[in-house]
Amino acid sequence: MAVWGARMPAVQAAAQLSAGRLALVLLAAAFGMVAALQVGGRLVHHYGAARVLVGPAVLLGSTLVAFGWCHSLPALSTATVIFGIAHGLFDIATNASAVRCQEAYGRPIMSGFHAAYSCGISNGCSSFQGTG
């Protein structure tokens, strides 16, 4: 999200979007994320968090690249819907993985995942080989 946020003014200028049109682009991202959050739990339950993480991780990186190529409102809106979907699915699967790691650790450590997320710090579960 930080990469997208930092590049937003440049993308807005490249696509020649007004503030109102940029708001529509951001709404498209939110729409995609909410839609993904609705189905993400079922996908994780059915396929496992580890499997669900792969696709959204690739999509997140791909859409960040695509933002640089989008020079129109429809193209940018499409990319942000896909970004929102990927972000929503990634969020659900990441949290499900963190819950499994907490269960394996045997004590509450969930808050540490969120506090250390920005730093890239592990809670000692890097060797946990859960199935999802």
Side-chain angles (χ1 to χ4, degrees):
M1 287 298 279
V3 172
W4 166 229
R7 298 295 305 150
M8 201 175 301
V11 171
Q12 180 183 10
Q16 300 176 352
L17 298 177
S18 65
R21 289 187 182 252
L22 180 61
L24 291 174
V25 169
L26 297 176
L27 184 63
F31 174 77
M33 186 169 189
V34 169
L37 290 173
Q38 298 299 312
V39 299
R42 285 179 283 217
L43 290 173
V44 167
H45 180 73
H46 190 266
Y47 296 106
R51 286 185 179 160
V52 174
L53 277 170
V54 175
V58 171
L59 274 177
L60 279 172
S62 300
T63 54
L64 290 175
V65 172
F67 289 150
W69 295 334
C70 296
H71 298 290
S72 69
L73 180 62
L76 196 53
S77 295
T78 301
T80 55
V81 166
I82 294 168
F83 178 81
I85 290 168
H87 191 274
L89 291 174
F90 193 80
D91 189 47
I92 293 286
T94 301
N95 281 307
S97 294
V99 167
R100 299 259 334 220
C101 184
Q102 177 174 274
E103 290 169 352
Y105 205 77
R107 66 180 181 89
I109 59 170
M110 187 66 129
S111 62
F113 286 105
H114 293 88
Y117 178 76
S118 298
C119 301
I121 297 171
S122 167
N123 277 324
C125 288
S126 58
S127 63
F128 175 65
Q129 299 296 318
T131 59

